[in-house]
Amino acid sequence: MFKCHVYDWEEIHRLCRKLAKAVKSSNFRVDAIVAIARGGWVPARILADLLDVKELYSVKTEHWGIVATITGKATITQPLTANVENKNVLVVDDVADTGETIKLVKDHVSSLGAKEVRTAVVDYKKTSSFVPDYFATRMEDWKWIVYPWSFREDIKGLFAKKGVKSFEEAVKTLREFGVELSDDIIKEALED
């Protein structure tokens, strides 16, 4: 059993502003941002706006399955196709959990001739074997993080993990995971 941390959009924007400020104060001039798909898409787009970076690309990886279940070794399923030679690149993801994915993508981007590659995540968990250059929060206690862009997917995953069939079971399960939601949201997730 584990607990969850649920973010709302306002918190995410605040944390991305914190990341952008850290990047700016480090004097790292970002030429291009590479988002790790899927979790890194939204924070990468927000950072592109806050850092005034027009070059925004993506690398697709696979590592996690249903909520809090690692499906195997981190792999790149869609490599970077953009030219990043001699550019300062910021690789962005939502979280460094094990650290495997962000390290894999950083090495991949470096191998394509980038001048310098740095990494940024919203959440850095102390369980990560890789420490990102920039992170907005450091999580000491492991929790599954529910981001606004994967909210329904994660809630449905929690229900599937516990075999939830009824509204009452859903409410009980969410409480066990430390999540409180409105009845309407719970009903919508159950309908899917």
Side-chain angles (χ1 to χ4, degrees):
M1 193 56 145
F2 54 88
K3 295 295 181 188
C4 295
H5 180 82
V6 181
Y7 279 121
D8 64 27
W9 288 108
E10 188 176 319
E11 290 173 297
I12 291 300
H13 200 264
R14 180 182 56 78
L15 293 172
C16 286
R17 287 194 318 269
K18 183 178 178 180
L19 278 176
K21 186 176 179 179
V23 172
K24 287 176 183 176
S25 67
S26 74
N27 294 318
F28 181 61
R29 195 184 115 262
V30 181
D31 299 313
I33 293 176
V34 173
I36 298 178
R38 296 180 305 161
W41 279 338
V42 174
R45 178 58 184 100
I46 294 170
L47 285 172
D49 181 49
L50 296 172
L51 296 171
D52 197 27
V53 175
K54 302 299 179 218
E55 292 187 51
L56 176 59
Y57 309 111
S58 181
V59 171
K60 176 84 170 84
T61 63
E62 294 291 330
H63 193 216
W64 291 91
I66 192 170
V67 174
T69 306
I70 295 176
T71 57
K73 184 178 176 186
T75 57
I76 293 175
T77 57
Q78 293 175 4
L80 184 63
T81 56
N83 181 0
V84 292
E85 243 179 281
N86 298 315
K87 293 181 182 178
N88 289 327
V89 179
L90 184 65
V91 173
V92 178
D93 205 357
D94 51 1
V95 62
D97 197 311
T98 65
E100 289 179 40
T101 301
I102 197 157
K103 177 159 184 358
L104 178 69
V105 175
K106 179 183 181 182
D107 292 346
H108 171 63
V109 173
S110 294
S111 76
L112 298 174
K115 181 177 176 181
E116 184 176 354
V117 180
R118 293 192 186 176
T119 56
V121 297
V122 175
D123 294 292
Y124 161 60
K125 295 181 182 180
K126 73 175 187 176
T127 54
S128 177
S129 62
F130 179 84
V131 180
D133 297 294
Y134 311 101
F135 51 90
T137 68
R138 176 186 162 105
M139 295 189 117
E140 297 295 326
D141 298 323
W142 195 94
K143 291 182 179 182
W144 183 256
I145 304 168
V146 180
Y147 294 99
W149 51 85
S150 61
F151 179 81
R152 187 179 227 101
E153 179 180 306
D154 285 341
I155 297 305
K156 287 172 33 180
L158 292 173
F159 292 167
K161 241 180 169 17
K162 298 290 261 178
V164 169
K165 302 273 188 253
S166 70
F167 177 79
E168 292 74 24
E169 290 175 322
V171 170
K172 181 182 177 209
T173 295
L174 291 173
R175 279 194 193 123
E176 290 173 7
F177 287 109
V179 176
E180 290 194 29
L181 301 173
S182 72
D183 290 355
D184 290 347
I185 292 174
I186 294 170
K187 287 175 185 170
E188 286 174 13
L190 281 170
E191 288 172 6
D192 285 349

